[in-house]
Amino acid sequence: MTSMSRALLTDHYELTMVQASLHSGAASRRTVFEVFARQLPGGRRYGVVAGTGRVLEALESFRFGEEELAFLHDNQIVDAPTIEFLAGYRFSGDLYGYREGECYFPGSPILTVAGTFAEAVLLETVILSILNHDCAIATAASRMVHAAGSRPLVEMGSRRTHEMAAVAAARAAYLGGFSSTSNLMAGHRYGVPTAGTAAHAFTLLHDSEKQAFQAQIDSLGTGTTLLVDTYDVAEAVRTGVELAGPDLGSVRLDSGDLAEVAHAVRGQLDSLGAEKTRILVTSDLDEYTIAALSSAPVDAYGVGTSLVTGSGVPTAALVYKLVVREDAEGVMQPVAKRSVGKPSRGGRKEAFRQLDPTGTAVAELVTVSGDRPADARPLQAELVRGGEVVGGEELEAARHRHRQAVAELPATAHQLSRGYAAIPTVFD
């Protein structure tokens, strides 16, 4: 995926629209598209912007090469003039948007794409496929991080999703506050810290649990994490401390009543002199089970399936809509859908987060006037100018921004029950 063109990561009708607009003469008309969510799915109180960096990567490799053009020709998807246009396709417009890690709400214009119709419409599918996935994962991760408090979380869902989605999910989870991932490609591509030790198979491989633990300790040191629920938990804890001593790093629990077992294991570790040995729990965790374990003696969590599937909300429900277009006289005109249940608002938007005197967010202000309201901070930044990326940044910057963005939200934002957005979106 990293070496191939992204140009065919799109829907058939994007290209047929380009063909028809080339025939009508409207392909070169200036347009503005916006990405936003009409509502937050799953009754979430806020969303988290993630994937913008991946969008910028995709934009730079969105090119129709010989192989892609041959596919379009051989399958009669578009005509010869359209293939000629696509052969020279380079996005030369502008992108503005919320920075990664920022929170968003219904109607927030999290990405604005300005360019000719033919240039901009071709980006719809790839932009939405990236942002819908990554925003959903980052939002779920953020909720889990808040439920965990100061306890770290490890992303370990690679085996529960598509192989490339796993890399993107690990990136989004780290942005949302997870401390590390089991996915090595995410570590290689994005610098996400990686972690991992052994699975049940390693214990089952050996003639005894003691032999397996000794082999792991000999290889990884006494600070390793031993998986202690292959056979009998109490016996495994006893064996682990016997072999590693009081410096045993951690034990992992992956089954049973995690709260009850954690209390028993904590008491046993302390009685054996391993007061500093940590307890890591895994086993189909989500934000609700993490919150339920808040009073248990758990030191860290490992989350897999629920995280990479958005904890029941696998898409952010973002849409990509035309809001401004150039008319036949060359005048830019606002446009909007009037569809029942799916209306849009015309005009290019700017967004601001209104804060009260304590620095707490009280409203999302979305305006077409361009005037900055008092007591509000701007939310959009320039990402692409004239087709050139100017707003790239390191993942750590987005991670830091998310901590700040979440800190300014009202307390209601962190309720796990289904409900309304934590702050209203006010349109002007």
Side-chain angles (χ1 to χ4, degrees):
M1 287 292 294
T2 57
S3 61
M4 68 177 285
S5 167
R6 309 295 179 95
L8 294 185
L9 294 177
T10 190
D11 288 314
H12 186 120
Y13 83 154
E14 309 288 14
L15 299 188
T16 53
M17 283 193 287
V18 170
Q19 175 176 304
S21 66
L22 287 170
H23 279 270
S24 73
S28 60
R29 287 190 180 184
R30 292 172 294 159
T31 58
V32 177
F33 287 82
E34 289 177 346
V35 176
F36 62 93
R38 293 189 178 94
Q39 59 185 7
L40 300 178
R44 299 286 166 86
R45 308 305 176 103
Y46 65 95
V48 179
V49 178
T52 308
R54 296 208 306 120
V55 166
L56 298 180
E57 290 178 2
L59 184 65
E60 292 182 315
S61 61
F62 200 91
R63 304 285 188 270
F64 291 86
E66 292 183 4
E67 182 179 351
E68 291 78 24
L69 295 172
F71 168 78
L72 298 176
H73 173 271
D74 294 346
N75 290 276
Q76 299 181 354
I77 293 172
V78 291
D79 60 16
T82 305
I83 288 178
E84 183 179 357
F85 169 81
L86 296 175
Y89 177 85
R90 301 289 188 275
F91 180 73
S92 63
D94 305 322
L95 263 64
Y96 294 83
Y98 286 36
R99 289 286 196 178
E100 284 195 280
E102 188 60 79
C103 296
Y104 70 89
F105 300 91
S108 297
I110 67 174
L111 189 69
T112 301
V113 181
T116 68
F117 176 78
E119 283 187 321
V121 77
L122 282 176
L123 300 178
E124 175 183 7
T125 301
V126 69
I127 285 176
L128 287 181
S129 64
I130 291 172
L131 294 183
N132 266 315
H133 175 269
D134 289 21
C135 290
I137 303 304
T139 300
S142 180
R143 286 159 56 90
M144 293 176 189
V145 168
H146 187 268
S150 60
R151 301 168 178 177
L153 296 101
V154 181
E155 185 282 313
M156 47 197 305
S158 295
R159 291 167 291 171
R160 298 294 185 264
T161 188
H162 183 277
E163 67 270 22
M164 297 312 298
V167 182
R171 181 186 184 279
Y174 185 65
L175 183 156
F178 272 56
S179 60
S180 57
T181 179
S182 64
N183 190 288
L184 290 178
M185 183 61 79
H188 173 64
R189 287 194 63 188
Y190 300 115
V192 180
T194 61
T197 50
H200 290 103
F202 185 78
T203 300
L204 295 169
L205 168 69
H206 291 79
D207 294 334
S208 69
E209 190 170 54
K210 184 173 184 178
Q211 288 182 1
F213 285 179
Q214 187 64 67
Q216 185 175 331
I217 292 167
D218 288 345
S219 176
L220 302 177
T222 57
T224 191
T225 299
L226 299 177
L227 181 55
V228 295
D229 68 343
T230 305
Y231 305 118
D232 179 84
V233 172
E235 181 59 31
V237 170
R238 189 161 34 250
T239 299
V241 176
E242 174 189 332
L243 297 175
D247 294 327
L248 175 62
S250 305
V251 296
R252 177 160 77 95
L253 304 173
D254 190 50
S255 58
D257 184 327
L258 294 176
E260 180 179 348
V261 176
H263 279 288
V265 168
R266 182 73 270 159
Q268 184 182 11
L269 287 169
D270 291 348
S271 70
L272 294 172
E275 293 92 349
K276 295 182 180 179
T277 299
R278 302 183 307 149
I279 298 175
L280 166 69
V281 298
T282 54
S283 185
D284 293 327
L285 301 180
D286 59 18
E287 60 264 52
Y288 304 101
T289 52
I290 291 171
L293 288 167
S294 61
S295 62
V298 173
D299 299 288
Y301 305 92
V303 188
T305 303
S306 184
L307 188 278
V308 298
T309 57
S311 194
V313 183
T315 175
L318 300 172
V319 295
Y320 184 99
K321 297 301 176 185
L322 181 66
V323 295
V324 180
R325 59 101 180 178
E326 182 182 13
D327 67 17
E329 284 71 45
V331 179
M332 299 298 284
Q333 301 283 359
V335 293
K337 283 179 58 177
R338 298 179 181 175
S339 306
V340 175
K342 293 185 176 181
S344 60
R345 296 174 182 270
R348 182 170 182 162
K349 322 294 190 307
E350 292 190 53
F352 305 86
R353 183 87 23 91
Q354 186 173 24
L355 309 173
D356 68 14
T358 69
T360 301
V362 294
E364 188 90 337
L365 304 179
V366 179
T367 175
V368 294
S369 68
D371 296 332
R372 177 175 178 174
D375 303 320
R377 64 178 180 86
L379 294 168
Q380 294 154 310
E382 187 179 27
L383 303 172
V384 174
R385 181 192 310 137
E388 298 296 326
V389 174
V390 295
E393 63 179 4
E394 297 295 324
L395 184 57
E396 286 293 342
R399 180 176 163 89
H400 176 70
R401 180 180 298 108
H402 181 61
R403 287 195 294 268
Q404 294 179 315
V406 169
E408 74 180 15
L409 296 181
T412 54
H414 304 297
Q415 295 175 352
L416 296 181
S417 58
R418 296 172 63 94
Y420 297 106
I423 60 174
T425 303
V426 179
F427 293 94
D428 178 17

